[in-house]
């Protein structure tokens, strides 16, 4: 598998339409928001510097999209979090907010279910966070924000994420330290 940034794909291709067409081949039936983001929003967000998307490709199969992840830096207000955990995440037990690397989107293509695990996609995202963000900007807390449903709790718990809080929008935030 090969990880390529969406920015480099856009730079390498003269016609943006070709990149849109390529991204539209990604199917993720379990989460249509994850599918729609890659089809319709990722390029615009890249250009506006809102987020950075990386595409995981199968170089042995015509560069088919295996999955992708999107990262950004985000500030969250703490809701119901203990002083100890605030201290751990920010160095200040009275902090009211924290800044984190957010995995805004993450998904595997339906056609790679059973061939590539979600853990492999998540590990690539975390490796990216370590090598590019922690290494150069010293941020070490990585969060994910997800729908409050059992399969996603299970997935992130099995991959060493701990639940931090439920946001006002009803989404769960979990964190890990890299
Ligand atoms: C999350 C993900 C990467 C995990 O991959 P994985 O560890 O290989 O696990 P699986 O894909 O086998 O999923 C485990 C179970 O959870 C279910 N599941 C996964 N994501 C789900 C979702 N968003 N909604 C409902 N069920 C979901 C799967 O259907 C599967 O159930 P099954 O065994 O009955 O088919 C992958 O399931 C995925 O790409 N899901 C869709 C995108 C998504 O929801 N991303 C998280 C948003 S932050």
């Amino acid at each position: 598998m090969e990880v390529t940034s969406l920015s480099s794909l856009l730079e390498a291709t003269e016609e943006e339409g070709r990149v849109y067409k390529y991204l539209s081949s990604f199917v993720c039936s379990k989460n249509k928001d994850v599918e729609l983001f890659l089809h319709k929003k990722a390029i615009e967000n890249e250009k506006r510097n809102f987020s950075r998307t990386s595409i995981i490709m199968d170089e042995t199969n015509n560069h088919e999209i295996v999955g992708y992840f999107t990262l950004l830096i985000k500030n969250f207000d703490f809701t119901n979090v203990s002083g100890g955990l605030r201290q751990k995440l920010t160095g200040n037990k009275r902090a009211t907010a924290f800044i984190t690397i957010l995995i805004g989107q993450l998904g595997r293509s339906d056609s790679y279910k059973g061939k590539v695990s979600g853990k492999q996609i998540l590990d690539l995202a975390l490796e990216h966070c370590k090598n590019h963000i922690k290494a150069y900007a010293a941020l070490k807390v990585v969060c994910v924000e997800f729908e409050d449903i059992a399969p996603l709790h299970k997935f992130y718990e099995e991959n060493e994420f701990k639940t931090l809080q439920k946001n006002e929008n009803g989404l769960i935030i979990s964190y890990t330290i890299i």
Side-chain angles (χ1 to χ4, degrees):
M1 287 190 295
E2 194 177 289
V3 184
T4 305
S5 71
L6 180 55
S7 298
S8 68
L9 281 184
L10 288 165
E11 270 166 32
T13 319
E14 278 175 22
E15 269 176 79
E16 197 175 281
R18 287 182 61 191
V19 184
Y20 270 103
K21 194 168 172 215
Y22 173 62
L23 299 183
S24 72
S25 64
F26 176 78
V27 178
C28 183
S29 51
K30 284 285 161 192
N31 192 329
K32 285 290 167 189
D33 286 343
V34 167
E35 182 183 289
L36 197 76
F37 180 87
L38 194 62
H39 291 184
K40 305 254 189 247
K41 298 186 187 156
I43 291 180
E44 202 47 40
N45 281 12
E46 201 80 17
K47 292 201 298 195
R48 298 173 81 176
N49 291 312
F50 286 168
S51 61
R52 291 284 177 252
T53 292
S54 296
I55 314 288
I56 303 163
M57 300 169 164
D58 181 353
E59 70 278 21
T60 66
N61 183 21
N62 219 9
H63 293 91
E64 196 176 323
I65 301 176
V66 175
Y68 82 93
F69 57 86
T70 299
L71 304 177
L72 61 152
I73 306 295
K74 192 161 173 181
N75 193 60
F76 285 105
D77 289 330
F78 284 118
T79 54
N80 208 1
V81 174
S82 70
L85 193 45
R86 288 173 201 234
Q87 171 84 35
K88 184 175 172 189
L89 297 180
T90 66
N92 173 5
K93 66 176 192 270
R94 277 184 282 274
T96 55
F98 69 109
I99 191 153
T100 183
I101 306 167
L102 178 70
I103 302 178
Q105 307 284 337
L106 180 140
R108 183 197 51 233
S109 153
D110 283 1
S111 50
Y112 283 83
K113 185 169 163 84
K115 295 183 198 153
V116 173
S117 66
K119 178 177 171 31
Q120 283 173 279
I121 311 264
L122 183 58
D123 284 349
L124 286 170
L126 292 173
E127 197 181 300
H128 214 72
C129 294
K130 260 189 205 154
N131 296 342
H132 299 287
I133 307 177
K134 186 184 179 196
Y136 292 100
L139 268 185
K140 60 171 186 174
V141 182
V142 179
C143 285
V144 285
E145 204 180 16
F146 56 91
E147 222 186 311
D148 190 4
I149 54 173
L152 294 181
H153 276 281
K154 183 165 179 278
F155 173 65
Y156 286 115
E157 270 163 30
E158 281 175 357
N159 287 293
E160 322 289 330
F161 277 78
K162 293 189 174 63
T163 303
L164 177 70
Q165 64 188 31
K166 191 167 190 165
N167 277 355
E168 279 168 5
N169 58 12
L171 298 175
I172 302 294
I173 298 195
S174 290
Y175 73 95
T176 193
I177 296 185
I178 52 173

